Amino acid sequence: GTRTLQLASQFQCGTEPGALALSLDWNDRRGQGGEVAAAVSVSDGSLCVVDLRPDGSLCLSRRWQAHDMEAWITAWDCFSRAVLYSGADDGVLKAWDTRDPSLPTAKDTKSHLAGVCCIQSHAAVEHCVVTGSYDETIRVYDTRQLRRPVAEHAVGGGVWRVKWHPGDPSLLTAACMHAGFAVLRYDH
């Protein structure tokens, strides 16, 4: 049989004309059910939380100015549907409570020496999030103390994407731009 791919819904998140959607993440990567939402980071520095309705339509839940520069990445905390992380060209990692995003709940303004390109919450280990940056360093954080990383490793290339292994919670992969691909082991 023939399979089809059809547009179910589309949404513009930016606050400025021409603003680009740069990343997105579903709020239920662990498959626990409940209301479904997506977080979107935008080139104008804003973040949006968009609810997916049962009929497939999208509805803006919240939008706020998170960074003064391009918000390269946003990612939900796998253990809390109210917690969202963001990183931007300003080199700042921020945590947000989406119920009241007027101010970040925590941030690291000193560790990243360049833009924060990627963030991933660990789906198997609570309070663990990893970032990658143009400064060629991967950083692991305990989310209960987000001011500085608990571990870091320079990989020799800007870290564009990071992913925890789905079966081995100690393995992390990274796309390191001109330095290629890296696999790292993190002892929790």
Side-chain angles (χ1 to χ4, degrees):
T2 302
R3 297 178 188 224
T4 62
L5 182 63
Q6 298 175 356
L7 181 65
S9 190
Q10 198 165 9
F11 195 85
Q12 206 46 274
C13 288
T15 56
E16 298 176 4
L20 308 173
L22 298 176
S23 78
L24 58 93
D25 195 21
W26 291 110
N27 69 338
D28 190 25
R29 288 196 8 250
R30 294 179 65 223
Q32 295 176 312
E35 293 182 14
V36 178
V40 181
S41 68
V42 184
S43 61
D44 62 12
S46 66
L47 297 179
C48 297
V49 175
V50 181
D51 294 330
L52 178 64
R53 294 179 174 163
D55 67 358
S57 64
L58 299 170
C59 175
L60 180 66
S61 173
R62 298 227 190 290
R63 178 186 339 207
W64 67 98
Q65 194 63 37
H67 297 269
D68 293 330
M69 301 177 86
E70 289 91 346
W72 290 118
I73 189 72
T74 189
W76 290 99
D77 187 291
C78 288
F79 290 85
S80 174
R81 287 178 180 247
V83 176
L84 189 63
Y85 303 101
S86 66
D89 231 14
D90 57 12
V92 179
L93 168 66
K94 295 182 181 183
W96 303 92
D97 183 330
T98 59
R99 296 167 294 192
D100 179 12
S102 56
L103 291 172
T105 57
K107 60 185 173 179
D108 178 359
T109 61
K110 297 181 180 175
S111 297
H112 299 91
L113 305 178
V116 179
C117 307
C118 54
I119 302 169
Q120 191 173 60
S121 174
H122 203 304
V125 179
E126 193 170 9
H127 307 296
C128 183
V129 68
V130 64
T131 67
S133 172
Y134 285 130
D135 70 6
E136 304 184 351
T137 303
I138 295 170
R139 294 174 176 84
V140 180
Y141 289 84
D142 181 325
T143 60
R144 295 167 290 191
Q145 180 59 34
L146 206 64
R147 289 186 180 173
R148 64 185 152 279
V150 295
E152 59 184 55
H153 187 84
V155 291
V159 184
W160 190 247
R161 291 290 174 262
V162 290
K163 299 284 181 190
W164 291 107
H165 188 280
D168 183 341
S170 69
L171 288 180
L172 174 69
T173 58
C176 307
M177 294 185 180
H178 63 272
F181 175 83
V183 178
L184 297 94
R185 186 172 299 279
Y186 175 63
D187 296 320
H188 301 278

